[in-house]
Amino acid sequence: MFEYLNDIGKEVGQEQAFYTFDFADILYKLQLWREKLPDVRPYYAVKVNSDPVLLRLFVLVGLSFDCATEGEIRMVVEAGGDPRNIVFAHTFKTPRALKYASSVGVDLMTFDAEEELIKIHEKYPETRLLLRLSPKDIQCAFDLSEKFGCKLDEIHYLLSRAKELNLKVVGVSFHVGALCTEPGSFASTICDTRKVFDEAKKLGFKFTIVDIGGGFFGSTEREKLFHEKDTELKKRPVYFSKLWGQTCCSEDMISKKALLPDLEIGEFIVWQNMGAYSYAVCSTFCAVPLPACKHVFKYDSRLKMDFIPNLEKVVDYLKDKTSLVKNGECDDDYIFSEYMR
């Protein structure tokens, strides 16, 4: 893999950052999800990374989608996604976005305020609704509760208003915040969700959905340096360093405390599993170009693709859209044939 990364680095040049999307690793994470949470249907949050090649892969493997805006819904539809497999998960939706969702058949969305209920009643009364609940015991890097979610003491009034407006509320959604460090946050909020279900039943609603949001850690790996292997295996002194991006924005800091050796001009730094939103929040401030995107498939013996219903179509797509990072002397046909058995 390092040889491939070095080749790409030479290709794009020192002035250009680049991302590699390892589709084998992506599929393995989906496999792991289905092994550990078999009863939880995954909805991919398009805001995390809206790369069209990635979205098309998720359509092919049968994933559902979490969209925050009209634009994200359009991306999924353009990738061939079924609008019925989309939840419109922003609690503040524009009238135009509601009209578009109605026109393509996105019929599941969230709310957390009376004003949103009134708007939905006027623009799209046929849709199904999820009441977004503010989580408890929040311990996370990015707290979303100040902007989204209602409190338990607001539940009765909001459900009563939905009843008066003849709207169909079918469940509860919540999000404990990004990079949640306390698993108990999920448990305590699910306990509150049970109370909402009970209140809804009293009012005549039949709830069938609990949207548990995101916030899960995907990796514990740290940043690593890669370079041409030293034939002498020489060692260089290392220092705690601040790593800045290319713009002159004072907030353009990649890492406040990275343990790095003395670097030479022309060497590259790589993060394995850079994480959600890293590409999505890129900026062209100071006319710095956006990072290049490279799609790869690195053979992974842990990956068993038998959970994918239309495997042949997925393999054909991978052959067409990704660069195979070879494992020893294996060629493309051999590696992909392993998954077609």
Side-chain angles (χ1 to χ4, degrees):
M1 186 67 172
F2 287 150
E3 291 181 2
Y4 172 82
L5 293 172
N6 272 315
D7 289 341
I8 295 299
K10 294 173 183 177
E11 175 189 320
V12 301
Q14 295 181 29
E15 294 77 19
Q16 176 74 68
F18 65 94
Y19 284 89
T20 56
F21 300 162
D22 182 357
F23 280 18
D25 184 62
I26 290 168
L27 291 175
Y28 172 69
K29 285 182 168 64
L30 179 58
Q31 172 186 308
L32 193 62
W33 177 284
R34 295 190 174 183
E35 289 174 357
K36 301 299 183 181
L37 296 170
D39 298 324
V40 180
R41 180 181 178 182
Y43 280 70
Y44 176 70
V46 177
K47 65 183 74 67
V48 169
N49 190 320
S50 58
D51 178 76
V53 180
L54 180 65
L55 293 182
R56 179 58 182 165
L57 174 69
F58 285 158
V59 168
L60 290 174
V61 299
L63 231 57
S64 297
F65 297 89
D66 174 306
C67 295
T69 63
E70 174 186 344
E72 289 185 355
I73 295 173
R74 288 183 183 275
M75 290 177 184
V76 174
V77 172
E78 289 171 3
D82 187 340
R84 294 171 298 179
N85 292 334
I86 294 174
V87 55
F88 197 171
H90 201 308
T91 57
F92 308 108
K93 295 168 284 292
T94 66
R96 193 182 88 165
L98 286 170
K99 182 179 179 180
Y100 174 73
S102 175
S103 71
V104 297
V106 175
D107 70 340
L108 182 63
M109 56 188 64
T110 63
F111 76 99
D112 62 6
E114 180 182 10
E115 291 79 5
E116 191 71 6
L117 282 175
I118 295 171
K119 191 194 312 174
I120 292 170
H121 176 256
E122 293 175 351
K123 302 298 181 181
Y124 193 4
E126 303 85 8
T127 191
R128 298 176 299 146
L129 299 174
L130 301 175
L131 175 57
R132 180 151 177 172
L133 182 65
S134 182
K136 291 180 65 174
D137 303 325
I138 300 169
Q139 296 184 41
C140 60
F142 300 96
D143 183 0
L144 305 176
S145 63
E146 289 190 15
K147 187 171 184 179
F148 304 108
C150 60
K151 306 296 183 183
L152 266 180
D153 58 10
E154 300 175 285
I155 295 299
H156 178 81
Y157 179 76
L158 287 175
L159 289 178
S160 297
R161 284 294 288 137
K163 186 81 172 178
E164 292 171 5
L165 295 170
N166 199 30
L167 295 173
K168 188 176 183 181
V169 187
V170 297
V172 175
S173 76
F174 64 84
H175 196 307
V176 298
L179 300 179
C180 178
T181 58
E182 175 48 62
S185 298
F186 287 94
S188 61
T189 308
I190 288 174
C191 287
D192 282 349
T193 298
R194 174 73 266 177
K195 297 175 183 177
V196 180
F197 267 61
D198 293 341
E199 183 65 26
K201 186 177 181 179
K202 294 176 184 178
L203 292 170
F205 292 104
K206 184 179 180 180
F207 279 15
T208 58
I209 299 174
V210 178
D211 180 347
I212 62 173
F216 312 101
F217 273 96
S219 173
T220 58
E221 295 177 2
R222 302 287 182 174
E223 62 265 23
K224 297 178 181 178
L225 175 75
F226 74 88
H227 51 79
E228 297 288 349
K229 292 183 178 178
D230 289 320
T231 55
E232 304 172 5
L233 297 174
K234 65 181 181 181
K235 293 185 178 180
R236 292 180 281 182
V238 295
Y239 307 95
F240 282 110
S241 311
K242 289 182 179 179
L243 196 61
W244 297 92
Q246 289 178 275
T247 74
C248 56
C249 177
S250 62
E251 296 183 358
D252 187 10
M253 181 180 288
I254 300 171
S255 177
K256 290 184 178 180
K257 199 174 185 181
L259 191 61
L260 295 173
D262 277 330
L263 298 177
E264 298 177 5
I265 295 174
E267 289 188 302
F268 300 97
I269 298 174
V270 63
W271 273 262
Q272 290 183 307
N273 290 309
M274 186 65 174
Y277 299 98
S278 55
Y279 185 81
V281 298
C282 290
S283 168
T284 57
F285 184 61
C286 296
V288 172
L290 291 174
C293 293
K294 302 294 180 179
H295 306 94
V296 303
F297 188 95
K298 182 176 180 292
Y299 179 74
D300 188 336
S301 60
R302 302 172 301 171
L303 175 60
K304 311 298 180 186
M305 291 170 63
D306 53 1
F307 66 90
I308 300 174
N310 54 338
L311 180 55
E312 186 173 354
K313 185 179 291 186
V314 170
V315 168
D316 287 342
Y317 183 74
L318 292 171
K319 286 182 177 180
D320 181 52
K321 296 295 184 181
T322 68
S323 298
L324 184 67
V325 178
K326 297 183 179 182
N327 183 21
E329 298 301 318
C330 297
D331 60 22
D332 299 27
D333 290 335
Y334 170 78
I335 288 180
F336 282 115
S337 69
E338 288 292 292
Y339 293 118
M340 294 299 293
R341 288 184 176 183

